[in-house]
Amino acid sequence: MRIIVGVTGASGVIMSYYLLKALKDAPDCEIHLVTSKAARLTWQYETDKPFEELSSLADAVYEEDDLAVKIASGSFVTDGMIILPCSMKTLAGIVSGYAENLLLRAVDVCLKENRRVVLCPREMPLGKIHLHNMKLAAQYGCTIVPPMLTFYNGPRTVEDQIHHVVGKVLLQFGIIYERMKSWEGRR
């Protein structure tokens, strides 16, 4: 499996670290990482980890300004792309086809090649434009997986919540994440 992961400057960048760790543990998964400049800034504000801890988990890391790399072309076959977290700016770029950087171009390529795209939009509250753009993204073929809190699985920590989000994202690619507690029905 070959997956592109995009990380934007929306709050919640630490979730991308957990996602990459899970993908790294998945059998035969090749990870291509592209981060925005804003993601790197948010990373500094929201985590104590050096950014290299995130990038070291990927098989290939790209600068958002480099449109001459292989993930910018449909002839480079992937299983799709995940953007976690997805900023509203990135969402707007996706639905308008404004592929001005590599992250947006990679999504554009996945959509035009009918590959899976999973967006994890992070904003609160959601405005009418945000909701409209999410609806458009879904109509264009994206799967929308907002990182929402869950309680049916008995989470005790923020990390438990992150594991649930990562698990839901990975299910979109048929990957079972052992750290996600699934609903098991009434006891």
Side-chain angles (χ1 to χ4, degrees):
M1 183 168 281
R2 182 183 283 161
I3 297 177
I4 303 167
V5 175
V7 183
T8 72
S11 184
V13 291
I14 193 66
M15 292 182 292
S16 64
Y17 175 76
Y18 286 85
L19 174 66
L20 264 67
K21 280 177 61 175
L23 288 170
K24 192 81 170 160
D25 290 341
D28 300 317
C29 187
E30 184 179 310
I31 307 162
H32 293 260
L33 176 65
V34 58
T35 59
S36 69
K37 290 178 181 111
R40 292 173 186 253
L41 287 172
T42 305
W43 186 270
Q44 290 175 339
Y45 292 125
E46 292 187 351
T47 74
D48 295 331
K49 297 179 183 304
F51 189 77
E52 292 71 33
E53 278 194 46
L54 177 68
S55 58
S56 70
L57 295 169
D59 296 292
V61 181
Y62 307 98
E63 298 294 323
E64 77 171 325
D65 296 331
D66 191 354
L67 291 168
V69 297
K70 52 189 168 186
I71 65 170
S73 172
S75 63
F76 182 69
V77 179
T78 68
D79 293 282
M81 184 166 180
I82 300 163
I83 302 181
L84 175 64
C86 181
S87 68
M88 294 301 107
K89 177 182 176 183
T90 299
L91 177 64
I94 292 166
V95 299
S96 66
Y98 185 62
E100 64 128 2
N101 62 39
L102 181 60
L103 198 150
L104 290 170
R105 172 63 184 163
V107 175
D108 193 52
V109 166
C110 286
L111 290 174
K112 79 180 184 70
E113 299 293 338
N114 294 309
R115 297 175 186 150
R116 183 163 296 286
V117 174
V118 177
L119 305 178
C120 302
R122 253 298 292 126
E123 186 62 75
M124 189 173 22
L126 293 165
K128 292 175 185 172
I129 292 171
H130 306 145
L131 293 167
H132 177 73
N133 285 344
M134 279 189 249
K135 179 181 175 187
L136 285 175
Q139 289 173 339
Y140 295 152
C142 298
T143 301
I144 310 298
V145 182
M148 294 185 165
L149 300 175
T150 56
F151 298 96
Y152 63 79
N153 53 1
R156 300 202 181 278
T157 65
V158 171
E159 189 173 56
D160 290 342
Q161 295 283 358
I162 293 171
H163 288 312
H164 187 77
V165 170
V166 168
K168 294 294 264 187
V169 168
L170 293 177
L171 282 174
Q172 297 301 309
F173 289 88
I175 299 171
I176 303 300
Y177 182 49
E178 298 299 327
R179 300 197 73 176
M180 180 184 122
K181 288 185 183 176
S182 297
W183 171 248
E184 295 178 5
R186 271 188 293 154
R187 293 186 175 103

